[in-house]
Structure formats: structure tokens, C-alpha cells
């Protein structure tokens, strides 16, 4: 009986995602690709989305959560409107990225993996952005800010306060 209830999960996926799942679910090792696409569309992997993925792919919810929680890239909570990523790759780290991360979280009064109360900002440490010549750097959405010092963080945040 519990099995029948599970198949009745009704979380609305856009047609684009449903088509992607149909195409990829038959391919070996497809789960990562499906999770990437789901997160690209929703910004994170919610519990209802994970349950719907289990129904649509036939992959157990436990396996889906095993993958989602293993890889730091995947998020299970909704990120802020402005997603800040502080590069912690070798070049950035050696040039002070930890100071950038600490200052950003301090100014926004954020703990790791949290979102500001107003839902505007979230901050993540990422492995490498691929712009080593700009080290240390952070991104806000698709905007990249390089050759930073922690005293530059308030000005960057101000640009996004009222957007």
C-alpha cells in the first residue's frame, strides 16, 4: 500500500525537465545528469522534487539522496536570490579567499549553508571557478569579481542589496 502512495507523488516539473528525464533515465549513470538538470531548473533539489525523480526514473529515493548529499554541488535547500560563490581553489586560497569567505558571511550574518532572513543572499565556498589569474575572487550569480580584498566586499554586496 505504501508503494502505491509513493507513485502518486505530484510535483510539477516543467516539460523541458520531463523530456530530459525521459531521454536520460535509460542511460547508465544518468542520475548525476538528471540531478544537474533538476538543480539548474529549480536552483536546488527539494524533497518533493527528489520524490518525483524517484517515481519518474525508478531510482530509489535513498539512492537519489545518497548522491545529492555526497556531492557538495547539489543543494537541498533553496539558495538566496543572489548566490555568492567564493573560490577556494589553490590560487584563490593562497591569495586570501578564506578572508573573503569569512568577511562575506560576517557582513551577511550567515552561517555555512544558510540563507539571509530576507532570502536575498546565500554564500558557498566552491572548489575552483577557473579564473586563477583573478585570484582571489567571488561570483554573485553570473558576475565575477576578482583581485579582491576583504574591504571590497561591502561595495560588492551593496550592488545587490535592492535588486
Amino acid at each position: 500500500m505504501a508503494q502505491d502512495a509513493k507513485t502518486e507523488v505530484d510535483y510539477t516539473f516543467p516539460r523541458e525537465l520531463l523530456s530530459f528525464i525521459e531521454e536520460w533515465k535509460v542511460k547508465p549513470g544518468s542520475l548525476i545528469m538528471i540531478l544537474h538538470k533538476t538543480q539548474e531548473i529549480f536552483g536546488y533539489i527539494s524533497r518533493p522534487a527528489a520524490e518525483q525523480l524517484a517515481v519518474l526514473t525508478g531510482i530509489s529515493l535513498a539512492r537519489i539522496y545518497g548522491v545529492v548529499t555526497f556531492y557538495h554541488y547539489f543543494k537541498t535547500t533553496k539558495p538566496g536570490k543572489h548566490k555568492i560563490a567564493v573560490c577556494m581553489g589553490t590560487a584563490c586560497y593562497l591569495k586570501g579567499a578564506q578572508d573573503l569567505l569569512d568577511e562575506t558571511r560576517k557582513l551577511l550574518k550567515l552561517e555555512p549553508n544558510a540563507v539571509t532572513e530576507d532570502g536575498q543572499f546565500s554564500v558557498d565556498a566552491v572548489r575552483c571557478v577557473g579564473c586563477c589569474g583573478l585570484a582571489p575572487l567571488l561570483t554573485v550569480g553570473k558576475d565575477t569579481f576578482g583581485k579582491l580584498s576583504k574591504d571590497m566586499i561591502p561595495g560588492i554586496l551593496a550592488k545587490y542589496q535592492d535588486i
Side-chain angles (χ1 to χ4, degrees):
M1 194 63 116
Q3 197 75 312
D4 291 338
K6 190 137 191 105
T7 60
E8 293 177 22
V9 172
D10 186 23
Y11 186 74
T12 307
F13 279 4
R15 180 166 278 123
E16 170 191 5
L17 181 56
L18 291 171
S19 296
F20 187 87
I21 292 166
E22 277 303 307
E23 177 187 343
W24 278 89
K25 74 179 184 180
V26 296
K27 298 178 181 180
S30 64
L31 180 56
I32 297 270
M33 294 299 294
I34 291 169
L35 290 171
H36 274 288
K37 188 68 166 180
T38 303
Q39 183 160 294
E40 175 187 316
I41 289 172
F42 294 114
Y44 69 114
I45 312 289
S46 67
R47 173 72 185 218
E51 290 173 350
Q52 186 69 10
L53 286 174
V55 170
L56 293 170
T57 63
I59 298 170
S60 74
L61 185 59
R63 183 162 170 232
I64 290 170
Y65 263 95
V67 171
V68 168
T69 57
F70 179 79
Y71 292 103
H72 292 286
Y73 175 82
F74 295 117
K75 305 295 175 206
T76 58
T77 56
K78 186 176 182 176
K81 178 181 176 184
H82 304 292
K83 295 177 260 182
I84 299 171
V86 179
C87 181
M88 298 299 280
T90 304
C92 287
Y93 185 80
L94 292 174
K95 290 190 174 191
Q98 186 64 54
D99 290 340
L100 300 180
L101 181 63
D102 294 343
E103 184 70 7
T104 304
R105 285 183 175 155
K106 180 179 128 189
L107 291 170
L108 294 172
K109 299 177 176 82
L110 277 180
E111 294 295 319
N113 304 313
V115 177
T116 55
E117 287 184 18
D118 61 4
Q120 291 298 302
F121 294 96
S122 56
V123 181
D124 290 309
V126 297
R127 291 289 155 222
C128 184
V129 176
C131 299
C132 300
L134 297 176
L137 69 91
L138 63 76
T139 63
V140 182
K142 294 182 179 181
D143 300 330
T144 301
F145 300 90
K147 298 189 183 271
L148 298 176
S149 61
K150 71 180 191 175
D151 61 315
M152 299 165 88
I153 301 298
I156 293 169
L157 295 177
K159 293 178 183 181
Y160 299 90
Q161 291 291 344
D162 298 321
I163 298 177

